[in-house]
Amino acid sequence: MPTKIVVLGAGIIGISSALAIQEAFDKDVQVTIIAENVSPNTTSDVAAGLIEPAEGKRAKEWGRLTINRIKEYINEGNLGAGEISGYWMQSKQEHPEWLDLMKNVRVLSNSEVTEIAKRPQHKFGLFYTTWYLEPTRYIDYCTKKIMENGAKIIQRKIENIDELGNDFDVIVNCTGLGSRVLFNDETIRPCRGQIVRVSCPQVRHFFMDDDYYTLINDNCLILGRTKDMDCWDLTIDKKSADKIIEGNCINIPSLSNAKIVSHNVGLRPWRTSVKLEKEIGKNNTPIIHNYGHGGNGISLHWGCALEVAQLVKSILV
Ligand SMILES: Cc1cc2nc3c(=O)[nH]c(=O)nc-3n(C[C@H](O)[C@H](O)[C@H](O)COP(=O)(O)OP(=O)(O)OC[C@H]3O[C@@H](n4cnc5c(N)ncnc54)[C@H](O)[C@@H]3O)c2cc1C
Ligand SMILES: *[C@@H]1O[C@H](CO)[C@@H](O)[C@H](O)[C@H]1NC(C)=O
Ligand SMILES: CC(=O)N[C@H]1CO[C@H](CO)[C@@H](O)[C@@H]1O
């Protein structure tokens, strides 16, 4: 009998955890995914896909493993990922540790800052190269693989963890913001993010500052952003959209001719740090938590998925 594993959640975190588990065990596990929403209707699908690992040692390692994974994905010739270079203008000089993972990192000279600055808060600047990964394309790629490996996906909301009974040997909890209700974890909070996808092919560098960003995907730019803590509203706010467009047009004047492709909003699963650990639940079923990735879930997903697979191994052998 193969070991039965259930993964709760089908955002980038759940789907990649399922794949990493299958790859670690070959044919000895049967993976079932249960999720209320599947791609393209998850928070992950809204994400801009900029690779920007979070602060801290653990996150830096997850980021490093994720970047290696993205390089392989690019080298296979897949759509929806690539290198992007651009400017990060700062009001206070910042040089987070994860910049070690980036390429071509260069502190801008005073004269470059003067040339690029568009607002008083653009006092310092960096130029660097990172990557983007379009979540919807990538989730589709991973989903095909997990289905080929024999996974089942069931679309259903779990109201209470007891509903799973004794059907599974291990539970992997990748429910993002859903963990707040499902696991009574009040330390996870929504951080609402609204963005605008536009077409403007002549813009080829990203531009970020304290309040705004223009990022690059295969066929569009992503203009952001809002960070509204504890706001659950998933409707598009016209005023925020106007502010996002105006702010980015000041930073990159040629955006004034951009065509709007879509407006999107999502709730980042915000937590002071990612919860990635195992515990023993009711009925002695081991539970592995992998949630609370905030604004960095795309950037950390593969490192976290590999750690989940290791935790499953430590339980089963
Ligand atoms: C506007 C915006 C821009 C972003 N940009 C970036 C970026 O550039 N780079 C980056 O790294 N990150 C970015 N993020 C953050 C990123 O989107 C998240 O960190 C990531 O999507 C979290 O993935 P997840 O799989 O945990 O959550 P989700 O994608 O929300 O998936 C959760 C899954 O759990 C399911 N679920 C929840 N509760 C239940 C339940 N009770 N029963 C059954 N299923 C349940 C859901 O249906 C869903 O399938 C951005 C976020 C937003 C909103
Ligand atoms: C996504 O949501 C839309 C709108 O609610 C729905 O019509 C569509 O079937 C959903 N897609 C999937 C794959 O569940
Ligand atoms: C069923 C179960 O073990 N749920 C746990 C999930 O995680 C939260 C947060 O750590 C715990 O409070 C729950 O007991």
Side-chain angles (χ1 to χ4, degrees):
M1 279 273 284
T3 306
K4 288 200 237 161
I5 296 175
V6 63
V7 176
L8 304 179
I12 194 166
I13 300 298
I15 293 290
S16 56
S17 296
L19 182 57
I21 292 167
Q22 287 178 328
E23 289 181 352
F25 286 90
D26 205 14
K27 296 274 178 287
D28 306 331
V29 294
Q30 168 65 51
V31 175
T32 304
I33 294 174
I34 302 181
E36 179 181 9
N37 294 307
V38 300
S39 182
N41 295 340
T42 70
T43 307
S44 299
D45 291 285
V46 175
L50 176 78
I51 300 310
E52 184 177 290
E55 296 287 329
K57 247 201 162 126
R58 232 178 149 198
K60 188 175 171 187
E61 180 59 9
W62 290 332
R64 191 183 68 77
L65 293 164
T66 303
I67 289 168
N68 287 345
R69 163 87 175 170
I70 293 170
K71 287 180 188 167
E72 285 170 18
Y73 178 81
I74 293 169
N75 289 342
E76 284 177 18
N78 294 298
L79 291 175
E83 288 189 356
I84 43 169
S85 303
Y87 302 96
W88 177 12
M89 302 305 286
Q90 305 169 337
S91 55
K92 283 182 307 220
Q93 200 154 19
E94 277 183 79
H95 202 101
E97 240 191 87
W98 55 256
L99 280 168
D100 296 349
L101 304 170
M102 303 295 152
K103 301 207 280 195
N104 307 317
V105 180
R106 196 163 65 74
V107 178
L108 299 180
S109 68
N110 288 339
S111 64
E112 285 174 304
V113 169
T114 309
E115 189 219 316
I116 296 162
K118 296 290 187 301
R119 311 163 181 276
Q121 60 265 49
H122 295 166
K123 290 200 181 88
F124 307 93
L126 293 172
F127 180 90
Y128 68 96
T129 302
T130 180
W131 293 264
Y132 69 93
L133 179 65
E134 292 184 18
T136 304
R137 280 208 162 106
Y138 178 74
I139 291 173
D140 182 56
Y141 165 93
C142 293
T143 303
K144 284 192 178 120
K145 291 200 168 200
I146 58 178
M147 299 307 280
E148 277 166 22
N149 292 337
K152 260 195 303 206
I153 299 183
I154 300 170
Q155 211 174 331
R156 167 159 90 90
K157 181 171 187 174
I158 301 287
E159 304 283 352
N160 187 312
I161 201 78
D162 297 335
E163 288 168 37
L164 301 175
N166 286 322
D167 292 350
F168 298 99
D169 303 306
V170 182
I171 299 170
V172 183
N173 168 25
C174 307
T175 48
L177 199 55
S179 312
R180 184 179 165 96
V181 184
L182 199 57
F183 294 106
N184 302 315
D185 185 348
E186 301 236 320
T187 63
I188 186 159
R189 296 155 62 190
C191 176
R192 180 181 178 280
Q194 186 170 326
I195 55 172
V196 186
R197 287 186 157 82
V198 303
S199 163
C200 190
Q202 66 270 42
V203 174
R204 299 189 195 264
H205 287 94
F206 68 74
F207 192 113
M208 306 191 286
D209 66 16
D210 295 356
D211 302 309
Y212 300 102
Y213 61 54
T214 295
L215 302 173
I216 301 170
N217 278 183
D218 278 1
N219 298 317
C220 70
L221 304 177
I222 290 147
L223 313 186
R225 63 196 161 199
T226 68
K227 282 187 173 180
D228 315 314
M229 281 308 291
D230 298 316
C231 175
W232 293 86
D233 187 359
L234 278 170
T235 58
I236 305 294
D237 175 46
K238 172 88 171 60
K239 268 199 202 131
S240 302
D242 290 346
K243 183 166 176 270
I244 288 167
I245 294 168
E246 271 166 40
N248 281 288
C249 281
I250 291 172
N251 290 348
I252 307 180
S254 58
L255 281 174
S256 60
N257 278 323
K259 277 204 207 65
I260 292 176
V261 175
S262 66
H263 294 274
N264 302 93
V265 61
L267 306 177
R268 303 176 186 92
W270 192 88
R271 203 170 179 275
T272 47
S273 66
V274 174
K275 180 155 173 160
L276 203 175
E277 62 197 41
K278 74 179 166 190
E279 68 180 28
I280 301 300
K282 286 183 199 158
N283 316 326
N284 280 328
T285 307
I287 301 181
I288 296 169
H289 297 288
N290 184 13
Y291 64 77
H293 299 77
N296 308 90
I298 314 306
S299 310
L300 306 176
H301 78 275
W302 192 247
C304 292
L306 292 174
E307 192 165 324
V308 166
Q310 283 311 311
L311 286 173
V312 173
K313 269 211 158 139
S314 73
I315 291 167
L316 297 183
V317 291

